[in-house]
Amino acid sequence: MTISTELSLSDHRSLARIVGGSLLATILVGMGAALTVAEGIDINLSADVVATAQNMLDAEIQLRAKSYIALVMFGLEAMVGVGLFLLLRPAGQLLAAWSLIVSIAAAILALLGAVFNMNAAEIAGDVAYTQLASESQRVLLAGLQATSDYTSFHLALILSSASKAGFFYLFLKSGLIPKLIAGWGLFASLFVSTAITMRDFIPIIGHSGVTVSFMASNLIALIATALYLTIKGVRSD
């Protein structure tokens, strides 16, 4: 007896809705966390390392909550990556597999942020650190955790955008979603990964206007894709 590994159209649409719902959840959870528990303690939302480190020492519960939210985000990102791979491998198995591997690597890098935030929570809440280090030293330790969180997120965003560029190219090739959404997603993903990489070498690209531009274009692409997949599934033609 042989077992077919091909998905039927109904299976494709069901899987697409799961992927779309998971992608939409990552957007909502991420934005919700940024506006609530991450306020003042997320170096990725502020360029002030000193203020962020000082805030961390008074935010043990926030830091722990942020870490657990990161675990949820990891699960959602993994589901999105695997789902996109299953949807798009008929359009290009090698690129789909590469995009999946890179997306999982990005999710793991982002997950390291949970470790660094949990470290900061321990520094903030464990009385042992008040005996081991002075107040300024505790701020330095918290600052190191904040910086590590920034670098892990920074690299994760580059890898995540590169993987999504691969997936969007396959969407464009397969026609499973409108070409306008797929094309914009490909552009936005390449824009994000290129701009973030280049601003490490060309300071002017780090201007807030450029950052807002690539983040907004990426957000539009992700929301449009998530809503289409959740509502429509995939095209049959």
Side-chain angles (χ1 to χ4, degrees):
M1 181 179 68
T2 60
I3 300 176
S4 175
T5 58
E6 294 298 320
L7 295 174
S8 67
L9 177 59
S10 176
D11 290 335
H12 263 95
R13 286 177 172 164
S14 296
L15 178 58
R17 290 189 172 96
I18 293 172
V19 172
S22 299
L23 182 56
L24 190 59
T26 63
I27 297 168
L28 295 176
V29 172
M31 292 180 66
L35 296 172
T36 54
V37 298
E39 185 177 2
I41 61 169
D42 192 338
I43 190 62
N44 300 299
L45 302 176
S46 170
D48 194 334
V49 179
V50 175
T52 301
Q54 291 172 335
N55 291 339
M56 282 178 160
L57 294 181
D58 296 317
E60 179 187 356
I61 301 301
Q62 278 181 263
L63 288 164
R64 294 187 187 279
K66 187 168 177 285
S67 296
Y68 286 113
I69 289 172
L71 294 180
V72 174
M73 291 289 287
F74 174 78
L76 290 171
E77 290 284 2
M79 185 174 293
V80 169
V82 172
L84 289 174
F85 167 74
L86 293 174
L87 278 176
L88 294 167
R89 63 180 175 176
Q93 188 162 348
L94 182 60
L95 182 56
W98 178 88
S99 297
L100 172 61
I101 292 169
V102 174
S103 70
I104 296 298
I108 292 172
L109 269 176
L111 187 60
L112 286 176
V115 176
F116 299 130
N117 280 283
M118 195 64 82
N119 288 346
E122 290 296 322
I123 294 168
D126 193 331
V127 68
Y129 286 96
T130 63
Q131 300 171 352
L132 291 170
S134 65
E135 185 66 17
S136 61
Q137 289 172 329
R138 290 174 69 232
V139 172
L140 175 60
L141 288 172
L144 290 173
Q145 305 309 313
T147 301
S148 298
D149 184 21
Y150 169 78
T151 53
S152 63
F153 178 80
H154 182 87
L155 296 173
L157 190 55
I158 294 173
L159 287 182
S160 176
S161 298
S163 73
K164 284 184 173 60
F167 285 134
F168 276 120
Y169 172 79
L170 292 175
F171 269 131
L172 192 62
K173 178 182 176 182
S174 65
L176 290 176
I177 64 175
K179 291 188 181 297
L180 177 61
I181 297 177
W184 181 262
L186 178 59
F187 159 75
S189 298
L190 292 174
F191 186 17
V192 172
S193 57
T194 302
I196 292 178
T197 301
M198 290 183 65
R199 73 182 184 182
D200 283 339
F201 303 96
I202 306 174
I204 189 62
I205 298 179
H207 188 275
S208 59
V210 178
T211 301
V212 170
S213 296
F214 71 67
M215 294 304 288
S217 64
N218 191 51
L219 183 61
I220 291 169
L222 294 179
I223 290 176
T225 303
L227 289 176
Y228 187 88
L229 292 175
T230 302
I231 297 169
K232 294 286 189 178
V234 290
R235 288 176 163 181
S236 58
D237 51 353

